[in-house]
Amino acid sequence: MNWLEKIGLLITSLIEEMGRIMMFFIETVGWIFRPPLNLRNIFKQMVEIGVNSAGVVIIMASFTGMVLALQSYTGFKRFNAESLVGTVVALSMTRELGPVLTGLIVAGRAGASMAAELGTMRVTEQIDALATMATNPIKFLAVPRFLAGLIMLPLLTVISNVLGIFGGYLVGVKVLDANPTVYMRRTFDYLEVDDIYSGLFKAAIFGMVIAVISCYKGFYAGGGAEGVGKATTGAVVISMMMILISDYFLTAILF
């Protein structure tokens, strides 16, 4: 029965961890509606999460669109459907690749930064000092990061979508010698507003997931420098897993 006990303990710890994360999320949302709202701190986190991640997102989106155009052209050429390359690039970027890849990039860069910063504050007792001074740590530390993730992920996804489609256009027209007029017409023939909105909605959900999990891991880090490292790694891994898992359910609901 030893292996059954190990499986049971693993499942129990997983459920407990999910419950604690959900309680942390509910508490964070509850503090959003309690004044005052520290706008300066929110803008600071928007710069950290959004502006500082823009460079990586730009490179990722541009080359993703280019690779997608090359791969689509190679496949569609086999049954004479090269004119649909633009449509595939546009739909793939707006529906899936734009929000998902942007979320993964931000989870790896900004999510790790949030978890490491808050974890360091926890092990050096700065979070305890805030509570001692009658300042709620979740209100002061988690809420600005939560709102910044909620706002900046859709904005980064817009940039990702535009550059991905543009990268596909460059490859399709300049490299593969597609007719630019036909390529652009095909790009937007089947692209609907709902495709764009659904991708932005996914991005907002991913932003909340990254902020909540990263802040939670940082808040409950322990064990000195080693604990901060484990919290940072856990925040990135769990955020990426939750982005991919939630993407499936969001796709099933939205489409």
Side-chain angles (χ1 to χ4, degrees):
M1 296 297 292
N2 189 34
W3 62 276
L4 287 177
E5 292 177 1
K6 290 181 178 179
I7 294 175
L9 289 174
L10 179 62
I11 294 174
T12 302
S13 63
L14 179 62
I15 294 174
E16 290 177 350
E17 186 82 352
M18 292 174 61
R20 286 193 291 264
I21 293 174
M22 184 58 64
M23 292 300 297
F24 187 86
F25 167 73
I26 294 172
E27 192 172 356
T28 301
V29 173
W31 277 103
I32 292 175
F33 303 101
R34 301 183 189 181
L37 201 60
N38 193 337
L39 294 179
R40 182 177 180 180
N41 203 2
I42 293 173
F43 286 127
K44 178 183 177 182
Q45 294 304 321
M46 289 172 66
V47 171
E48 174 64 27
I49 294 173
V51 177
N52 293 344
S53 301
V56 185
V57 171
I58 288 171
I59 295 174
M60 175 275 299
S62 301
F63 283 93
T64 297
M66 293 179 186
V67 171
L68 191 58
L70 282 173
Q71 292 284 14
S72 301
Y73 180 83
T74 302
F76 290 169
K77 188 177 181 180
R78 299 178 183 179
F79 44 90
N80 298 321
E82 298 95 323
S83 61
L84 295 175
V85 170
T87 302
V88 170
V89 172
L91 288 177
S92 299
M93 289 302 302
T94 54
R95 283 188 172 194
E96 289 297 326
L97 294 180
V100 171
L101 293 181
T102 301
L104 295 177
I105 290 292
V106 173
R109 204 210 68 81
S113 175
M114 284 189 281
E117 181 182 4
L118 295 178
T120 303
M121 294 181 69
R122 169 60 71 184
V123 298
T124 56
E125 300 182 353
Q126 295 180 52
I127 293 179
D128 297 329
L130 287 174
T132 303
M133 294 185 295
T135 300
N136 186 278
I138 292 180
K139 173 71 173 177
F140 187 75
L141 298 173
V143 168
R145 289 167 173 81
F146 179 86
L147 293 176
L150 177 63
I151 295 170
M152 295 309 297
L153 256 294
L155 295 180
L156 288 173
T157 301
V158 170
I159 297 173
S160 178
N161 291 341
V162 171
L163 291 176
I165 294 173
F166 180 69
Y169 173 83
L170 288 179
V171 170
V173 174
K174 303 299 182 181
V175 178
L176 304 175
D177 295 325
N179 185 296
T181 303
V182 174
Y183 187 95
M184 292 303 296
R185 182 166 58 84
R186 288 292 189 181
T187 296
F188 297 105
D189 270 351
Y190 302 101
L191 183 64
E192 300 178 355
V193 177
D194 288 343
D195 298 322
I196 299 174
Y197 285 160
S198 63
L200 297 181
F201 178 74
K202 284 183 178 183
I205 298 297
F206 297 158
M208 291 190 293
V209 167
I210 294 169
V212 169
I213 292 176
S214 300
C215 290
Y216 168 80
K217 282 294 185 179
F219 259 74
Y220 296 101
E226 183 181 357
V228 174
K230 289 181 179 179
T232 303
T233 303
V236 174
V237 172
I238 295 175
S239 295
M240 289 183 173
M241 289 175 58
M242 289 305 301
I243 286 173
L244 297 175
I245 293 171
S246 61
D247 178 57
Y248 170 79
F249 291 103
L250 289 171
T251 301
I253 293 171
L254 294 172
F255 302 105

